[in-house]
Amino acid sequence: SYLFSRYYDDHRYAFVQTVMIGVVAALLLLYPASVNMYTVILVCAGWGLAIMAFQVSFQAELIGCVSAAAMAIFSGIFNLGIGCGTWFGGTVYTKISLKDIGFAGGVIVAVATLICMARFRVGDKAESAS
């Protein structure tokens, strides 16, 4: 929350990009960090920080674009993502292996990050032109 309040307004796109890259990094580092309990704790703490910053920044984006009533939809979509992530992680665990869950999730989040950043750039150019 401190990082959001300090950096989001002045560096909106960079903040969102950094947060999403942080989620990707945390997922991709889960397996390498598994060599030591303390490195896993450190990665999970970074993951939690990135997810919390993701949540507040995308809430701010949504409220800036549409009415506050849309927050209920955002919350539902966020919960759907949690449920689908659980299903996907269970499928990866069953069909592939436990050690690959972070890599599989990291690929999905990396693709979502690329799509999000492309959309942000398009939106930023449209705002600048008007």
Side-chain angles (χ1 to χ4, degrees):
S1 294
Y2 170 76
L3 295 174
F4 173 80
S5 66
R6 176 111 165 96
Y7 298 110
Y8 179 77
D9 286 335
D10 295 334
H11 309 286
R12 184 173 146 216
Y13 299 113
F15 186 82
V16 170
Q17 185 175 7
T18 302
V19 163
M20 293 187 74
I21 290 170
V23 175
V24 172
L27 286 166
L28 295 177
L29 288 172
L30 279 175
Y31 179 67
S34 68
V35 298
N36 183 316
M37 177 182 69
Y38 298 108
T39 56
V40 171
I41 291 170
L42 186 63
V43 167
C44 287
W47 189 7
L49 178 73
I51 282 294
M52 187 165 66
F54 171 89
Q55 179 75 7
V56 295
S57 60
F58 275 85
Q59 282 178 353
E61 289 294 323
L62 184 65
I63 290 171
C65 295
V66 294
S67 69
M71 283 307 300
I73 296 170
F74 177 77
S75 178
I77 291 170
F78 200 82
N79 287 329
L80 179 65
I82 292 169
C84 289
T86 302
W87 169 80
F88 182 72
T91 302
V92 170
Y93 172 72
T94 302
K95 304 287 184 189
I96 303 173
S97 77
L98 178 63
K99 69 181 178 76
D100 293 321
I101 288 176
F103 295 125
V107 168
I108 291 172
V109 177
V111 170
T113 299
L114 292 173
I115 292 168
C116 181
M117 291 305 104
R119 297 290 298 177
F120 261 123
R121 285 194 182 98
V122 168
D124 188 33
K125 288 178 185 174
E127 282 181 20
S128 297
S130 50

